[in-house]
Amino acid sequence: MSNWHEELGVFDLETTGIDVETSRIVSAHVGLLNAEGIVVQRNDWLVDPGVEIPVEATAVHGITTEHARTRGLPAAEAVAQIVSALRTVFERGTPVVAYNAPYDFTLLNREALRYGILPLSAPGPIIDPLVIDKAVDKYRKGKRTLELTAMFYGVDLTDAHDAGADAIAAGRVAQALARVHTEELALEAADLHLRQVQWSLEQAEDFQAYMRKEHNPLFTASGTWPVR
């Protein structure tokens, strides 16, 4: 049995929007969980993104432009610290969990490039519970949001859309997946990373085929994982 789930890094961002090319980081969390899912290290950032935070984004994560400007770190400084914290986790060989990893890792990549910071190069191993859950329980009905998936696997998530709460819950969902789907996930972390690259492509192809058949014949979906 693989032990990739016995120590996990966890990572999440709250941002100004959904477009990874233009959105900015508003808050972030990088932490470590032990084998029991207990937080043994945490780093949290509140960030002044340097732009107005849309009211729609504030409605999700609760952070206003005024609060971020008053209390947050300058974006360039925060991005450098977040990249450094993740690099340290990867360099020790610890996998990092991120729910819907292409969003967080791609957005962080673009923020690093925006501020002239050396981005993470081919980050990994990464564990993405969204991709894994879709692969090992393909035909379960319903949405696969973090909140619903956490509930399905019996993981408490009491403060959704807080970067720390979401990151920690995602890590515990990954550990629950390892317990429930022992045989399918009995892989070394690096092998599981590669498996998710393939799973993500297959899932995007299935979704694209569905959308083209049911809604828009020109619809395209990217399955590139974990950085687009």
Side-chain angles (χ1 to χ4, degrees):
M1 181 175 175
S2 166
N3 62 354
W4 59 262
H5 54 280
E6 291 185 357
E7 181 183 65
L8 290 174
V10 294
F11 170 50
D12 186 68
L13 301 175
E14 296 299 325
T15 67
T16 60
I18 59 174
D19 184 346
V20 296
E21 303 295 342
T22 59
S23 297
R24 309 297 180 90
I25 297 169
V26 174
S27 66
H29 176 92
V30 176
L32 287 174
L33 304 184
N34 68 11
E36 288 73 45
I38 296 169
V39 180
V40 294
Q41 182 178 319
R42 66 179 298 157
N43 299 280
D44 297 275
W45 292 267
L46 176 65
V47 185
D48 175 5
V51 299
E52 293 284 329
I53 300 173
V55 293
E56 296 86 355
T58 297
V60 173
H61 50 60
I63 301 170
T64 64
T65 301
E66 180 182 5
H67 181 65
R69 284 178 178 167
T70 304
R71 303 288 184 87
L73 274 179
E77 184 179 345
V79 171
Q81 291 181 12
I82 297 163
V83 170
S84 177
L86 284 167
R87 186 173 281 123
T88 297
V89 178
F90 285 127
E91 285 175 350
R92 62 187 280 177
T94 301
V96 173
V97 176
Y99 200 87
N100 190 20
Y103 177 79
D104 298 271
F105 278 99
T106 304
L107 198 151
L108 181 63
N109 173 276
R110 303 304 191 265
E111 283 275 66
L113 295 172
R114 184 172 288 124
Y115 295 110
I117 296 159
L118 182 66
L120 296 167
S121 176
I126 291 168
I127 306 295
D128 187 340
L130 176 60
V131 170
I132 294 172
D133 183 47
K134 286 180 177 179
V136 298
D137 195 0
K138 182 175 181 178
Y139 298 106
R140 188 173 82 247
K141 294 183 184 296
K143 294 182 178 180
R144 306 278 182 134
T145 64
L146 175 58
E147 289 174 84
L148 291 174
T149 305
M151 187 183 302
F152 181 81
Y153 286 102
V155 172
D156 289 334
L157 176 53
T158 55
D159 194 10
H161 302 296
D162 169 84
D166 285 0
I168 293 162
R172 290 170 178 164
V173 168
Q175 292 175 322
L177 280 160
R179 289 192 298 270
V180 174
H181 299 280
T182 307
E183 188 173 335
E184 300 99 311
L185 301 179
L187 301 164
E188 295 302 320
D191 294 328
L192 183 54
H193 179 104
L194 293 175
R195 191 70 61 88
Q196 289 168 95
V197 172
Q198 185 60 38
W199 284 339
S200 182
L201 284 172
E202 292 168 357
Q203 290 163 12
E205 289 169 1
D206 287 349
F207 183 56
Q208 179 173 290
Y210 165 77
M211 290 296 289
R212 287 185 173 185
K213 180 181 178 182
E214 299 293 334
H215 300 286
N216 178 359
L218 300 179
F219 181 87
T220 59
S222 172
T224 305
W225 184 96
V227 182
R228 292 185 177 148

